[in-house]
Amino acid sequence: QVGCRDADLADASEAGVDQCTMMVRNVPIKYTQRMLLEVWNNDGFEGQFNLFYLPTDFRSRRNLGYCFLNFTSTTVAETFRAKFHGYRLGGKLSKGCSKGLQVSCARLQGFEANIRKLRASAVAAKGVAPEFQPIVFVDGETEMSLGKYVELVMKPQSLLPRPG
């Protein structure tokens, strides 16, 4: 599905978009996946998204300044955007980054569509370290790298439920 319009985020479910994928820009480049997850989880969003991806340069080990989250509902996505749009991540890791976060709907929407796209990208290649891979959350609790998720879901005998 192509992305929901920012102005109509609250109406996304009526437009057939059950889950809303958000793009967060102006992420300070020294932040890691773990650091961002800690910020969001401590602010009440733990278990509220089923996919998180922070594109990172493999050589410098620094992120590219943006990330994606796929939320479990449009309401949660809207709440996240209201909380974090314009938010400034603090601390010494944000030094030199004076811009607040920009949160908007991603062009590509939905868990399945994002998994398909990511599986075809370099981050899904064998040998890519888990810290560079997207993180999938199953049932809001079980966390695994994209590679591990694909490996388990692709097995016919797997009883692993799909995130919802």
Side-chain angles (χ1 to χ4, degrees):
Q1 296 174 345
V2 176
C4 55
R5 295 172 297 177
D6 288 345
D8 293 14
L9 183 57
D11 298 327
S13 59
E14 290 177 26
V17 179
D18 295 327
Q19 300 174 337
C20 199
T21 307
M22 304 300 281
M23 180 179 193
V24 180
R25 292 182 177 94
N26 298 333
V27 175
I29 62 172
K30 292 183 181 178
Y31 269 75
T32 65
Q33 287 182 332
R34 291 284 146 226
M35 292 171 184
L36 289 172
L37 286 172
E38 184 177 330
V39 169
W40 295 325
N41 289 343
N42 288 342
D43 245 305
F45 290 94
E46 186 169 10
Q48 301 299 312
F49 46 92
N50 52 21
L51 178 64
F52 171 59
Y53 177 44
L54 177 68
T56 304
D57 180 288
F58 297 161
R59 281 183 251 173
S60 71
R61 304 182 74 81
R62 293 187 177 189
N63 77 65
L64 301 181
Y66 62 94
C67 66
F68 299 94
L69 296 104
N70 189 73
F71 289 92
T72 57
S73 77
T74 304
T75 302
V76 174
E78 184 177 286
T79 303
F80 179 87
R81 182 167 66 170
K83 168 73 180 172
F84 285 103
H85 187 74
Y87 185 90
R88 285 192 167 85
L89 292 167
K92 63 183 177 182
L93 294 177
S94 295
K95 189 175 181 178
C97 183
S98 61
K99 297 178 182 177
L101 300 176
Q102 289 186 339
V103 182
S104 60
C105 284
R107 189 175 75 57
L108 186 64
Q109 288 294 310
F111 179 82
E112 295 295 331
N114 277 283
I115 291 294
R116 278 193 305 274
K117 181 177 180 179
L118 290 166
R119 282 186 64 198
S121 72
V123 298
K126 289 249 186 232
V128 172
E131 70 261 25
F132 297 128
Q133 293 183 25
I135 300 173
V136 177
F137 299 88
V138 180
D139 295 331
E141 296 175 13
T142 305
E143 175 184 322
M144 63 187 75
S145 68
L146 174 68
K148 192 65 162 174
Y149 177 78
V150 168
E151 174 187 318
L152 292 173
V153 169
M154 299 306 285
K155 289 183 180 179
Q157 71 272 20
S158 175
L159 300 177
L160 185 68
R162 292 184 181 252

